[in-house]
């Protein structure tokens, strides 16, 4: 019920950037052609998709329907902000990926922490100035996530393609959070 109001505000108030999770994009897409010009004004620049896997078919359909670019980004609470960006320029964009690292290092490693070749699946590790120092008063949990060399173990499984773009392929372990626990 509020979705049409949100879309109207984006158009009416000349919003330039819209940050959304993939579920929100799916809901907007489900409206079909009810609001095709929402993002078509001289002020609007880009949609930023974050906090979940953006399915390639939704991504392409949404961009085609609404004539807008989606920049897909990847980060964690432990990275404070995003680490990989898919867009906004064409050379940093490939639908179906989480893009390439920006201002950080990224690698895909096996169970032993050894980097795997392009195309092979492993855990995504990130290293950079934006990585947390540790969990508050939780040294054991911190040691599980941050190694001695400063690499953050994301728990996400991924691979790098021949063009250097990172793909999410699953989770190393799934955790369900209910009521903050």
């Amino acid at each position: 019920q509020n979705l049409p109001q949100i879309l109207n505000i984006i158009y009416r108030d000349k919003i330039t950037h819209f940050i959304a999770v993939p579920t929100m994009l799916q809901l907007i897409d489900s409206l079909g052609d009810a609001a095709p010009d929402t993002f078509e004004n001289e002020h609007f620049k880009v949609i930023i998709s974050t906090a979940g896997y953006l399915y390639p078919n939704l991504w392409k359909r949404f961009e085609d329907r609404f004539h807008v670019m989606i920049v897909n980004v990847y980060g964690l609470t432990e990275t404070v902000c995003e680490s990989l960006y898919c867009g906004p320029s064409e050379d940093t964009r490939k639908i179906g990926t989480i893009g390439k690292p920006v201002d950080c290092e990224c690698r895909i490693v096996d169970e032993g922490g050894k980097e795997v070749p392009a195309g092979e699946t492993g855990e995504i590790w990130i290293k950079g100035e934006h990585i947390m120092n540790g969990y508050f008063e939780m040294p054991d949990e911190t040691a599980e996530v941050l190694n001695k060399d400063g690499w953050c173990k994301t728990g996400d499984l991924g691979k790098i393609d021949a063009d250097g773009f990172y793909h999410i392929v699953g989770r190393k372990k799934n955790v369900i959070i209910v009521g903050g626990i």
Side-chain angles (χ1 to χ4, degrees):
Q1 210 174 38
N2 291 330
L3 192 54
Q5 291 174 316
I6 291 169
L7 296 177
N8 185 45
I9 289 168
I10 289 170
Y11 186 83
R12 183 194 70 212
D13 293 350
K14 300 176 178 141
I15 302 300
T16 60
H17 295 73
F18 182 58
I19 300 171
V21 299
T23 303
M24 176 73 94
L25 298 178
Q26 179 66 48
L27 288 170
I28 294 170
D29 187 59
S30 72
L31 292 175
D33 294 326
D37 61 348
T38 296
F39 306 102
E40 290 185 36
N41 68 62
E42 62 191 44
H43 303 282
F44 195 82
K45 305 292 184 223
V46 68
I47 292 175
I48 300 166
S49 178
T50 188
Y53 183 74
L54 180 57
Y55 288 95
N57 59 346
L58 170 61
W59 190 344
K60 176 97 173 84
R61 186 175 62 245
F62 194 100
E63 286 186 343
D64 289 345
R65 173 174 282 156
F66 294 102
H67 308 107
V68 64
M69 178 188 289
I70 297 174
V71 173
N72 194 27
V73 299
Y74 173 82
L76 311 164
T77 301
E78 293 82 357
T79 63
V80 182
C81 61
E82 289 78 16
S83 299
L84 291 98
Y85 293 78
C86 186
S89 64
E90 287 303 321
D91 63 324
T92 61
R93 198 172 126 73
K94 189 179 210 181
I95 289 180
T97 75
I98 54 172
K100 296 180 178 183
V102 174
D103 294 331
C104 67
E105 296 175 64
C106 213
R107 63 188 200 181
I108 308 289
V109 302
D110 62 18
E111 288 291 327
K114 183 180 174 200
E115 205 160 344
V116 300
E120 289 191 25
T121 298
E123 184 177 9
I124 300 172
W125 284 14
I126 301 172
K127 183 178 182 178
E129 293 295 318
H130 66 301
I131 305 295
M132 69 167 186
N133 292 327
Y135 298 117
F136 183 67
E137 295 183 0
M138 299 173 73
D140 294 338
E141 289 83 352
T142 298
E144 287 179 29
V145 173
L146 296 178
N147 76 8
K148 61 181 173 38
D149 296 322
W151 287 96
C152 176
K153 305 171 189 176
T154 69
D156 288 318
L157 297 175
K159 62 183 178 179
I160 304 171
D161 66 23
D163 298 322
F165 285 88
Y166 284 73
H167 299 253
I168 296 286
V169 298
R171 286 281 302 152
K172 189 172 179 179
K173 59 181 179 178
N174 284 320
V175 176
I176 299 172
I177 300 174
V178 177
I181 299 173

